């Protein structure tokens, strides 16, 4: 019995006998090891895979009908811009050429190139129109600063702000129209302000001449009165003419009179110096008055002469006017 077991043991072996007892079949050949190919965590796509992905991500091609619609829409838009530019002093030659070339391509059914050319032409004109309106707006704002010296111009400021909003909305001609309107108003205010300023300057000079005992020629008085009457009637050109004539007569008349007045101050100044008064500032003002007189700036001469008289009064020095 033992031999039989041994024989079988030799036949089956210890482990095969155990496996047989456990009801499992025996395979005398060893089980080959399985080869495991490691899978990378993030596999890089191949060039072919990339190509496929790119193709899939591209937007669908635009149909001929859609391209025709786009082409016609751009023609309408660019024609509108050309019309807007005609209302302004803007050279759009380059943009116009691109648009014309685009229209030719469209007629040949080459819509892709036509659309590209029209887009370029449109952008070119937009840049030029925007720049032109911005320059006009900057000029208008400078005029506003000057005009505000004469009167309040809040309504014009509001108009300029509205023009800026129109420009942001790419309504170039509307913005330009508003700016041109504002510019006209401001120039009118400045012109009237300068006229009034000149009129006041002349009338003020006459009063000051009277105060320092310088006789005003009769013709000057008459012309100034005519200038004031013309201004009140809104006849600014006549007013300017009368003022010019008055100034032509006044200048040669008051020059020698002012020079004589300054010469008359020598004796009072010597008296002031003798009593120990500090007349350095008065001497300085006299020199300035004489220099201004030589240059024809009579207002500075009159102003300095008035100041000298005031200083002499403070010092208690008698002088003849």
């Amino acid at each position: 019995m033992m031999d039989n077991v041994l024989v079988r043991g030799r036949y089956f072996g210890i482990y095969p006998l155990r496996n047989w007892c456990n009801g499992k079949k025996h395979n005398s050949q060893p089980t080959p090891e399985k080869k495991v190919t490691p899978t990378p965590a993030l596999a890089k796509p191949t060039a072919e895979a990339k190509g496929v992905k790119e193709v899939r991500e591209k937007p669908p091609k635009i149909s001929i009908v859609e391209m025709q619609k786009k082409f016609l829409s751009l023609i309408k838009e660019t024609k509108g811009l050309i019309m807007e530019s005609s209302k302004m002093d803007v050279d759009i030659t380059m943009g116009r050429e691109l648009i014309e070339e685009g229209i030719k391509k469209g007629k040949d059914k080459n819509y892709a190139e036509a659309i590209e050319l029209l887009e370029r032409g449109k952008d070119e004109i937009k840049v030029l129109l925007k720049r032109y309106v911005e320059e006009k707006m900057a000029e208008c704002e400078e005029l506003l600063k000057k005009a505000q010296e004469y009167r309040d111009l809040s309504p014009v400021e509001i108009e300029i702000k509205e023009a800026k909003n129109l420009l942001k909305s790419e309504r170039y001609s509307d913005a330009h129209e508003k700016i041109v309107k504002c510019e006209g108003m401001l120039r009118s205010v400045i012109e009237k302000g300068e006229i009034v300023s000149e009129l006041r300057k002349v009338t003020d000079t006459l009063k000051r001449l009277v105060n320092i005992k310088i006789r005003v020629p009769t013709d000057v008085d008459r012309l100034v009165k005519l200038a004031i009457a013309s201004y009140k009637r809104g006849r600014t050109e006549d007013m300017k003419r009368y003022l010019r004539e008055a100034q032509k007569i006044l200048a040669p008349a008051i020059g020698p009179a002012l020079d004589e007045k300054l010469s008359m101050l020598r004796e009072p100044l010597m008296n002031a110096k003798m009593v120990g008064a500090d007349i350095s500032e008065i001497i300085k003002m006299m020199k300035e008055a004489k220099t201004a007189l030589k240059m024809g700036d009579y207002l500075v001469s009159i102003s300095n002469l008035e100041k000298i008289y005031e200083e002499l009064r403070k010092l208690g020095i008698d002088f003849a006017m």
Side-chain angles (χ1 to χ4, degrees), residues 276-292:
D278 182 9
I279 59 170
S280 57
E281 280 300 315
I282 295 175
I283 297 296
K284 184 181 176 183
M285 285 190 285
M286 277 187 72
K287 287 179 180 178
E288 287 177 357
K290 286 181 178 180
T291 303

Side-chain angles (χ1 to χ4, degrees), residues 105-167:
K105 293 285 184 183
K107 287 178 180 178
D108 295 335
K109 309 298 182 186
N110 192 345
Y111 293 114
E113 285 188 38
I115 289 168
E116 184 186 350
L117 288 164
L118 288 170
E119 289 280 11
R120 284 171 58 196
K122 179 187 75 173
D123 292 342
E124 173 73 17
I125 294 173
K126 277 186 174 183
V127 168
L128 293 171
L129 293 179
K130 185 173 183 286
R131 188 184 302 157
Y132 179 79
V133 176
E134 283 175 340
E135 287 173 359
K136 295 294 287 183
M137 204 170 283
E139 289 174 15
C140 199
E141 286 177 329
E142 286 300 314
L143 288 172
L144 177 64
K145 289 177 187 176
K146 191 173 182 181
Q148 283 172 330
E149 295 174 10
Y150 303 110
R151 53 175 278 197
D152 177 54
L153 291 163
S154 300
V156 179
E157 288 184 84
I158 293 167
E159 289 287 313
I160 292 171
K161 284 179 182 177
E162 287 178 3
K164 286 180 178 179
N165 290 332
L166 289 168
L167 183 60

Side-chain angles (χ1 to χ4, degrees), residues 200-214 216 221 302 306:
R200 284 176 180 168
K201 183 179 175 181
V202 172
T203 54
D204 182 54
T205 301
L206 297 182
K207 287 176 183 177
R208 291 167 75 181
L209 287 171
V210 171
N211 290 338
I212 58 175
K213 307 299 182 183
I214 292 178
V216 177
D221 259 337
I302 293 167
E306 289 170 336

Side-chain angles (χ1 to χ4, degrees), residues 222-279:
R222 180 181 59 83
L223 289 166
V224 170
K225 285 175 182 177
L226 287 170
I228 293 168
S230 297
Y231 172 73
K232 287 177 179 178
R233 292 171 189 163
R235 296 164 64 179
T236 55
E237 290 304 316
D238 288 344
M239 189 208 81
K240 288 179 185 177
R241 180 167 55 83
Y242 289 133
L243 284 179
R244 283 195 297 268
E245 289 177 14
Q247 286 169 334
K248 282 178 184 178
I249 298 168
L250 187 62
I254 65 173
L258 285 167
D259 189 46
E260 186 182 350
K261 291 286 181 184
L262 289 167
S263 298
M264 288 170 66
L265 290 171
R266 288 174 187 169
E267 188 176 341
L269 289 175
M270 285 179 66
N271 294 334
K273 192 173 182 180
M274 287 175 65
V275 296
D278 182 9
I279 59 170

